Amino acid sequence: MANLTIFLQLSSYWTLLLVLLLSSYHLTFAKQVEHTFLVQNVIIRRLCREQVITTVNGSLPGPTIRVREGDTLLVHVLNDSPYNVSIHWHGIFQIQSCWADGPEYVTQCPIRSGHRYTYKFKIEKQEGTLWWHAHVSYLRSTVYGSLIILPRYPHSYPFPKPFKEFQIILGEWWNANVLDVANEALSSGGVPNISDAFTINGKPGDLYPCSRDTYKINVHQGKTYLLRIINAALNNQLFFKIADHKMTVVAIDATYTNPYVTEVIVLAPGQTTDILLNANQNPTLYYMAAHPYISAPKSSPILFDNTTATGIVAYHDIIRRKPIRKMPILPHYYDTLTAHEFYSNLTGLVNGRFYSPVPIEVDECMFVTIGLGLFMCSGNGCHNPKGVGLAASMNNESFSVPTKLSILEAYFHNVKGIYTTDFPDRPTLEFDYTNPSNSTLQTVIMTRKSTKVKKVKFNSTIEVVLQNTAILGIENHPIHLHGFNFKVLAQGFGNFNPLKDMSKFNLVNPQERNTIAVPSGGWAVIRFRANNPGIWLMHCHLEAHLPMGLATAFQVENGPTLSTSLPPPPPDLPNC
């Protein structure tokens, strides 16, 4: 009996020791990941010409950041470029670290040339594919890279482990200084010149004249690969396809989805899509290709870059000396039905890690119109002799960022005169939103410059109907919300009608995103819980439209405890 007692005591001792060791291992596995970003101008060669571009660490795309959920990320940004810069960590919640979100004059003033700043934040309750990019004008065209969040040990993907992973970042290329392109548009009052090429991981592909830069991935027949695809383009949604291969979508915007098999995917600027690629075809070379999806009508005078970027999927065991190169047939540029089918058929994986049920009780209901318009102007900023300028707006309010102080600093220090909290819950005028003939009505087309945000209580549930308009043109607008993911309850065409369209709401397993492509001439309904105090931008992710004012922000008030309140700013926060 004594021996049994000793045995049980020893067993309990070793069991407790093992538990403590495992717990310690799990705790220490969450670590601090540190990077240094040197922002500088470099000369690179594309399309048989040398071009000065702004990069991070001299590469295009910039460095990949790989972390695990639970890690703390430190990024030291040294701005050696001639431009102001800030970095946005696209899709990161920034729980208790709103100061690190990055949009200039919203959560921080930009990092001046010759200065530095360190971003520090913890990665919590997220895993998957996100990315980082400059949040200052057109610098985003070359200052970007991927941010991969791996599951925390001992968790794994909710799908079979792939043999290998690849990152596919889609971008745009100009044979010009992109800041000059933006400034020329501002000085003329028009739209920026279209890009000269699209890129896959910074390379246009061999379909372009005088281009030898083609990205290639090598695969083994019979193996399955995870492709993390990011649309880093400034102004174009993009169709993506791989010749003779089907793709299985398993995640979007760092949230898991029910597996969705498709031959083509479409991504709006800012969106990410993770797909599984089964290398089950005959061993040869297969093109991956991307070209734009144009949501405006064919009759529209809008110009666009109608070129195609390519990469190559190369099987290791190619048996031919001169392998065949198979090209995919991409959807037509104006194929809105294919784009909408993809966007609307995705659903959330309810048993995926961090998936949360749809909040049922709604505290704030908003109806937000988005589109173009005109505003009264004067002085150097006005390029029309009649005293009107082109603008974009939400609910007829064209968002104008301050330059003396960031909105977040004004909120924290209670500084008046920087912004107001009276962003309207509905447009000031109701009309037939998707009827193009309303573009002739001055009461509809005119907007005004303002800096208005929406104030909401901590932990309240917000539902927003995003309604596209046909003012000065019809197109799809990708809307990105900082600081939160949202549930996409439904999306459709025409004017949102609550009497019939609420019956379409998916309250069981809706897809979850941080960027939604609001259908051309249509609407989308999103819902999220405002459980993160701070100032959070909501804006169009078309770079041509953000400076024109297609944005607003949410001011989420403090919660009841210190851990649910906005912390003070870092001591080295850049000054305006």
Side-chain angles (χ1 to χ4, degrees), residues 515-564:
T515 305
I516 173 72
V518 182
S520 177
W523 52 270
V525 182
I526 64 173
R527 190 181 292 179
F528 68 98
R529 190 180 298 281
N531 55 5
N532 196 2
I535 298 289
W536 304 105
L537 191 64
M538 182 173 73
H539 66 94
C540 180
H541 220 268
L542 299 177
E543 191 58 43
H545 289 171
L546 176 56
M548 294 166 60
L550 215 168
T552 186
F554 289 94
Q555 176 183 303
V556 180
E557 297 181 317
N558 287 333
T561 65
L562 186 64
S563 63
T564 58

Side-chain angles (χ1 to χ4, degrees), residues 35 360 493:
H35 286 262
I360 301 301
F493 296 99

Side-chain angles (χ1 to χ4, degrees), residues 47 169-173 194-215 233 236-243 264-265 286-294 304-312 325-334:
L47 304 180
I169 308 183
L170 310 177
E172 282 182 275
W173 176 265
I194 62 175
S195 55
D196 294 286
F198 296 103
T199 59
I200 295 178
N201 287 357
K203 300 178 178 181
D206 54 17
L207 295 189
Y208 289 93
C210 200
S211 175
R212 299 177 181 176
D213 299 308
T214 304
Y215 176 72
N236 282 278
Q237 300 188 63
L238 295 167
F239 286 118
F240 177 87
K241 194 173 183 179
I242 301 173
V264 62
I265 67 172
Y286 298 86
Y287 275 115
M288 63 178 87
H291 80 192
Y293 156 51
I294 305 301
F304 65 94
D305 181 352
N306 62 357
T307 62
T308 301
T310 55
I312 293 175
R325 293 193 175 198
K326 295 191 173 183
M327 185 70 185
I329 300 175
L330 288 161
H332 194 272
Y333 304 114
Y334 295 96

